[in-house]
Amino acid sequence: MAPAQETPPTPLPGKKRRIGVMTSGGDAPGMNGAVRAIVRMSIAKGCEAYGVYEGYEGLVQGGDLIKQMYWEDVRGWLSEGGTLIGTARCKAFMERPGRLRAAKNMVMKGIDALIICGGDGSLTGADIFRDEWPGLIKELVESKKLTKEQAEPFKHLNIVGVVGSIDNDMSSTDATIGCYSSLGRICEAVDCIDATAFSHQRAFVIEVMGRHCGWLALMAGVSTGADFTFIPEKPPSENWESDMCTIIAKHRKLGKRKTIVIVAEGAQDYALNKISPSKVKDLLSNRLGLDTRITTLGHVQRGGTACAYDRTLSTLQGVEAVEAVLEATPDTPTPMIAIIENEIVRAPLMEAVKATHEVARAIEAKDFERAMSLRDAEFAEYYNAYMTTTATDQPQLKLSKGKVRYHPNILRKVPTNLVQHMRIAIIHVGAPAGGMNPATRAAVAYCLSRGHTPIAIHNGFSGLCRHHNDKPLGSVREVSWLDVEGWMSKGGSEIGTNRILPSLDLPKTAECFKLYKFDAVFFIGGFEAFTSVSELRIARKQYPAFRIPMVILPATISNNVPGTEYSVGSDTCLNALVGYCDAIKQSASASRRRVFVVETQGGRSGYIATMGGLSIGATAVYTPEEGINIKMLARDIEHLREGFAKDRGQSRAGKLILRNEHASETYTTEVIANMIREESKGRFEARFAIPGHVQQGGTPSPMDRVRAVRLAVKCIQFLEQYAEQSEEEITADAMSMAVIGIKGASVVFGSMDRLEKEDTNWKERRPLQESWLNLKSVVDTLSGRPKAEDCCEGCGRVC
């Protein structure tokens, strides 16, 4: 008797889809987070999710390599490195017969949409597959491998691309999944090497990945304060050997004990001759007599768990990919999910791929200016910031009399050839945050390269008012490059910070501003810095000394400064919180039936709790904005009961709840844990944990370092525009007191006057409009947390 012919499942009703998800190309930290988000979001939308194992090979082979995935299948995936559904090279898919087999396998599983997480090669293959799809289906019918009835529901294939690549080599997006985790591995290694280099006065040449893209090398150079960096897109000058040795010799003469050179594996000179680590080593050893070593980091850069940013990025891009699938029509160009500054966006996939390939062609053609222009604007800004701050003895950047030109990198017209050098004060205000020191280092280096005088105010406004003239060393000190050179990897605040405001003694503050002849002030800090500038702005009428330009670079783990969606230090805090929660979740999972309630910092802003919830896959998140009530707790406890009842101890069932420190005065972290324990009736346990100031300390994350450098340079450029303006002109300009911020897809400056009136919740110490609030619903959706309207008010059970 002939076996029954396999038939595809009946299509899902309406716009619901069977969505396949696969990872392809090189693995990248965060891929598992994307798969988790795609699977759970698909299920939450009433769709079915299918995992395609081993990349395109699984698509071609079919069978058990294409499996339906369920909610619990992806539990715990956020903290796993690599890709748990595998990836493999597939020569068969590169030929039409292989794609024909892949098409049939998808139809027989009922899959009518595909989300691919991979690099440009993987995504190009996916777009070719989509273009050929109608022809492939027609051929399958003509060859009687499918009937017309079977093929009818599969006339069109929707495909969405999510970029997973540690190289960050895709155009049209600022970051790809995995790139910041890889950068973190590099920075950790260089920070360790830095210590031994300092001890022995050695030089180290460090080779990092990046055959065609220098993003990792450039960002490593910015993040670690490397003396010299080689990238494929921007070869050094024709006399680079002499230039490099001259710069490093100057640094040594200034008193620097160590030398770090970063080399991308694709580094080359203008003639396209490879610049190898060994060649750089020989130059440093033979010309400068430095004891030089080579370190090649290799695949250490690719492995390991994802950092907080990559977990969040992969989760949000996975969610957006499912939305893109459900909104797509047969005529919709294949989209790629991208991020620009702080905003998740969709970009035309093939345009991005084309621009990416164009970079490689420009390099081959020795058109390096075009290669740099084809990279995103952020790449060029980081390169310029690095070149400006890596060395201070740069005569071409010094201000001098001459024709006024305008700076291209900030919003307003800024003279780049001014007459007047400025005395720019730098002050930290508020709690310490990772990135304060890198921002200060960048500001000092930029000031010195331009001929300005950077002045550090130690210990905030209390130091200024009480200790400015202490002997032998006061709190107001001019800063040299060597003073700050080693600050890139230092956490906290090297010049000291506290929450004291200028209202402590406004007359004394004005007296000191006048005594030390400040021409501008650069504030680095959180809501206290914002409040300080507000007080100085109001006091301008009474105190002429305050009629100078001032700008704030938001630096606080709470991310609660009006005028920005991102604050330096918040990423460092999230990484510390994620590491802490990963360890606790492992304990909870090992015990099978345990819930941990973890208290986060963040003041009266729920940003850290919410983003932490996204990064660790929290069961619930409690924030000050939403508050906590007894009905909410009843729903969550019932949800926990149901979850543990279904699990029966068979899988890793540890669960975490995050509670912001000010979410409720009544329902404290300990009280919630005790309520859960009491209501569990012995079915599971509950504990509470408070990481406290662990969230503030530690080495700054790579993201906080590079953004601190970029934003600090922009802030000093912003102050420069007021160098030749009169006191009256400055006072009349509302923008002369401003906050730099990232808003959506742009870096902007906002005037204090407007932000105070329109975007500040003074009572709760946070912005009136918090951009991340909509992400709370994403946390709830991906945790399966029931909505209030779906539950019984009395018992909390889902109706």
Side-chain angles (χ1 to χ4, degrees):
M1 185 174 178
Q5 187 176 1
E6 186 182 1
T7 59
T10 304
L12 297 177
K15 290 188 174 182
K16 294 177 181 178
R17 300 266 190 256
R18 288 187 176 91
I19 301 173
V21 55
M22 59 181 278
T23 54
S24 181
D27 65 299
M31 280 183 164
N32 292 320
V35 174
R36 171 186 176 272
I38 291 163
V39 169
R40 290 197 169 181
M41 194 65 183
S42 297
I43 295 170
K45 291 287 186 178
C47 301
E48 292 179 6
Y50 287 78
V52 180
Y53 287 72
E54 311 305 337
Y56 283 111
E57 185 68 27
L59 212 56
V60 173
Q61 296 296 331
D64 290 340
L65 292 179
I66 304 177
K67 302 177 185 177
Q68 186 171 356
M69 299 188 77
Y70 301 93
W71 193 272
E72 294 301 317
D73 291 341
V74 292
R75 175 187 289 175
W77 281 32
L78 272 168
S79 59
E80 297 288 344
T83 165
L84 293 175
I85 60 174
T87 179
R89 295 186 182 278
C90 182
K91 291 183 178 180
F93 191 81
M94 298 173 70
E95 304 294 334
R96 185 176 174 86
R99 294 194 288 274
L100 195 68
R101 290 170 60 190
K104 183 186 176 185
N105 289 331
M106 287 181 63
V107 170
M108 299 313 291
K109 294 288 186 179
I111 298 171
D112 49 9
L114 189 61
I115 300 174
I116 298 98
C117 182
D120 63 312
S122 302
L123 300 182
T124 300
D127 194 69
I128 292 171
F129 190 41
R130 182 193 176 182
D131 285 345
E132 290 184 351
W133 183 264
L136 294 171
I137 297 299
K138 182 180 179 182
E139 186 175 336
L140 288 169
V141 172
E142 290 174 349
S143 61
K144 301 189 183 310
K145 293 179 180 178
L146 290 177
T147 66
K148 285 185 178 181
E149 292 73 21
Q150 289 174 333
E152 181 62 28
F154 300 95
K155 289 182 177 179
H156 305 286
L157 174 66
N158 288 325
I159 282 182
V160 175
V162 177
V163 191
S165 168
I166 66 166
D167 293 332
N168 198 18
D169 55 354
M170 181 67 82
S171 293
S172 304
T173 185
D174 286 347
T176 57
I177 293 170
C179 69
Y180 274 101
S181 297
S182 179
L183 181 60
R185 306 277 182 278
I186 296 169
C187 289
E188 186 178 356
V190 176
D191 288 347
C192 293
I193 289 169
D194 201 75
T196 190
F198 181 90
S199 300
H200 298 276
Q201 299 193 59
R202 283 183 181 142
F204 274 85
V205 182
I206 300 166
E207 184 179 47
V208 302
M209 287 184 172
R211 191 171 297 121
H212 302 295
C213 178
W215 188 88
L216 280 175
L218 175 59
M219 294 304 171
V222 173
S223 301
T224 63
D227 296 83
F228 214 84
T229 299
F230 296 93
I231 60 175
E233 298 89 341
K234 188 76 172 178
S237 65
E238 293 182 7
N239 298 318
W240 67 267
E241 295 97 333
S242 298
D243 290 346
M244 180 186 71
C245 290
T246 299
I247 288 173
I248 290 171
K250 285 181 179 177
H251 290 177
R252 290 283 178 157
K253 188 175 180 180
L254 286 169
K256 191 174 181 182
R257 289 176 56 88
K258 58 182 173 60
T259 297
I260 300 291
V261 177
I262 308 287
V263 182
E265 60 182 329
Q268 55 200 355
D269 62 20
Y270 270 94
L272 303 185
N273 298 311
K274 181 175 176 57
I275 297 176
S276 66
S278 57
K279 184 172 183 178
V280 176
K281 172 188 178 295
D282 291 342
L283 281 167
L284 297 179
S285 299
N286 298 332
R287 289 201 188 182
L288 299 180
L290 298 178
D291 181 5
T292 308
R293 309 294 168 89
I294 295 174
T295 299
T296 300
L297 297 181
H299 282 74
V300 167
Q301 300 161 78
R302 189 179 292 282
T305 60
C307 66
Y309 179 81
D310 278 329
R311 297 188 193 194
T312 302
L313 179 66
S314 61
T315 298
L316 296 179
Q317 289 195 339
V319 168
E320 183 66 17
V322 174
E323 297 284 5
V325 162
L326 298 180
E327 294 172 12
T329 68
D331 299 323
T332 305
T334 302
M336 178 189 83
I337 310 304
I339 185 167
I340 305 297
E341 297 295 356
N342 227 37
E343 185 176 0
I344 302 292
V345 298
R346 300 176 195 174
L349 172 61
M350 292 316 296
E351 286 185 19
V353 170
K354 182 181 178 182
T356 302
H357 292 168
E358 192 63 31
V359 175
R361 284 193 286 270
I363 292 173
E364 289 175 9
K366 303 181 184 179
D367 190 350
F368 300 111
E369 284 190 19
R370 177 164 171 73
M372 286 292 288
S373 69
L374 287 167
R375 292 286 182 217
D376 297 309
E378 191 182 64
F379 186 89
E381 283 190 22
Y382 278 121
Y383 178 80
N384 291 332
Y386 172 73
M387 295 304 294
T388 305
T389 60
T390 190
T392 58
D393 186 15
Q394 302 186 64
Q396 73 277 13
L397 295 176
K398 294 282 186 185
L399 300 180
S400 58
K401 293 183 179 181
K403 185 179 178 181
V404 175
R405 300 193 308 275
Y406 293 99
H407 204 287
N409 291 334
I410 65 174
L411 302 178
R412 309 178 76 197
K413 291 183 175 180
V414 181
T416 59
N417 255 347
L418 299 168
V419 176
Q420 182 179 325
H421 293 159
M422 303 176 76
R423 290 174 57 82
I424 299 178
I426 303 169
I427 186 170
H428 297 177
V429 184
M436 280 182 157
N437 292 319
T440 304
R441 177 190 182 276
V444 168
Y446 182 84
C447 284
L448 293 172
S449 69
R450 300 281 281 163
H452 303 307
T453 302
I455 303 163
I457 299 175
H458 289 252
N459 302 317
F461 282 103
S462 59
L464 176 69
C465 295
R466 297 169 180 167
H467 305 288
H468 69 95
N469 59 354
D470 284 2
K471 304 298 181 184
L473 198 62
S475 61
V476 180
R477 308 171 199 167
E478 293 187 9
V479 193
S480 71
W481 179 75
L482 196 61
D483 291 334
V484 300
E485 189 280 322
W487 287 13
M488 285 303 298
S489 61
K490 289 185 179 293
S493 167
E494 288 294 299
I495 65 173
T497 184
N498 55 56
R499 300 178 186 273
I500 302 298
L501 302 176
S503 52
L504 167 75
D505 193 340
L506 276 173
K508 192 67 177 179
T509 301
E511 178 186 325
C512 289
F513 273 40
K514 184 177 181 181
L515 176 65
Y516 293 100
K517 300 178 180 178
F518 297 157
D519 295 312
V521 185
F522 177 35
F523 287 79
I524 303 172
F527 201 87
E528 289 81 6
F530 184 85
T531 306
S532 296
V533 177
S534 174
E535 290 182 353
L536 296 175
R537 184 187 68 80
I538 294 168
R540 270 181 164 179
K541 293 180 181 178
Q542 188 176 356
Y543 300 100
F546 301 150
R547 297 168 191 170
I548 56 176
M550 303 181 196
V551 66
I552 305 167
L553 195 167
T556 167
I557 68 168
S558 304
N559 195 26
N560 63 340
V561 177
T564 187
E565 296 170 6
Y566 163 84
S567 298
V568 168
S570 59
D571 186 66
T572 301
C573 173
L574 283 169
N575 278 320
L577 180 62
V578 164
Y580 183 91
C581 288
D582 279 353
I584 282 184
K585 197 165 189 177
Q586 190 176 56
S587 169
S589 297
S591 305
R592 290 295 187 264
R593 295 177 169 276
R594 182 170 290 173
V595 181
F596 271 96
V597 184
V598 179
E599 182 173 295
T600 73
Q601 292 190 333
R604 297 191 179 277
S605 167
Y607 174 83
I608 290 297
T610 300
M611 301 306 284
L614 273 178
S615 300
I616 65 166
T619 300
V621 170
Y622 301 132
T623 65
E625 288 83 355
E626 188 178 26
I628 307 174
N629 58 59
I630 192 66
K631 293 179 180 179
M632 181 188 296
L633 291 172
R635 290 194 301 272
D636 291 336
I637 291 171
E638 185 59 32
H639 177 52
L640 288 169
R641 276 205 206 103
E642 291 175 0
F644 281 115
K646 290 178 183 177
D647 181 75
R648 298 185 184 278
Q650 297 303 306
S651 64
R652 296 184 301 167
K655 298 181 187 295
L656 292 187
I657 291 173
L658 297 187
R659 175 193 172 274
N660 170 276
E661 59 189 338
H662 293 296
S664 170
E665 292 184 6
T666 303
Y667 299 110
T668 65
T669 304
E670 184 175 2
V671 165
I672 292 173
N674 289 339
M675 288 177 69
I676 293 172
R677 186 185 305 113
E678 181 69 23
E679 294 298 322
S680 71
K681 307 299 183 185
R683 295 177 185 172
F684 51 90
E685 299 178 73
R687 299 281 191 274
F688 72 95
I690 302 176
H693 284 73
V694 165
Q695 299 162 80
Q696 280 188 12
T699 303
S701 72
M703 170 167 279
D704 279 335
R705 296 190 206 187
V706 297
R707 283 193 166 177
V709 169
R710 178 184 175 215
L711 297 178
V713 169
K714 281 181 172 288
C715 283
I716 305 301
Q717 291 171 345
F718 180 84
L719 294 174
E720 281 183 318
Q721 69 184 311
Y722 295 99
E724 294 185 313
Q725 290 194 17
S726 66
E727 186 180 292
E728 291 75 20
E729 289 174 317
I730 291 171
T731 306
D733 187 350
M735 285 296 294
S736 64
M737 285 185 160
V739 178
I740 192 171
I742 294 175
K743 300 280 282 186
S746 304
V747 175
V748 298
F749 288 89
S751 77
M752 283 295 300
D753 184 43
R754 180 184 62 80
L755 292 173
E756 290 172 46
K757 294 174 182 175
E758 300 176 9
D759 192 30
T760 304
N761 183 336
W762 288 102
K763 180 182 177 183
E764 303 297 337
R765 291 167 50 86
R766 64 187 185 224
L768 287 173
Q769 305 295 326
E770 294 178 291
S771 63
W772 55 266
L773 282 176
N774 63 324
L775 301 181
K776 180 72 165 48
S777 63
V778 177
V779 179
D780 293 343
T781 298
L782 296 184
S783 70
R785 189 184 187 193
K787 297 178 181 177
E789 57 267 27
D790 297 332
C791 298
C792 170
E793 284 197 20
C795 66
R797 294 180 180 174
V798 176
C799 300

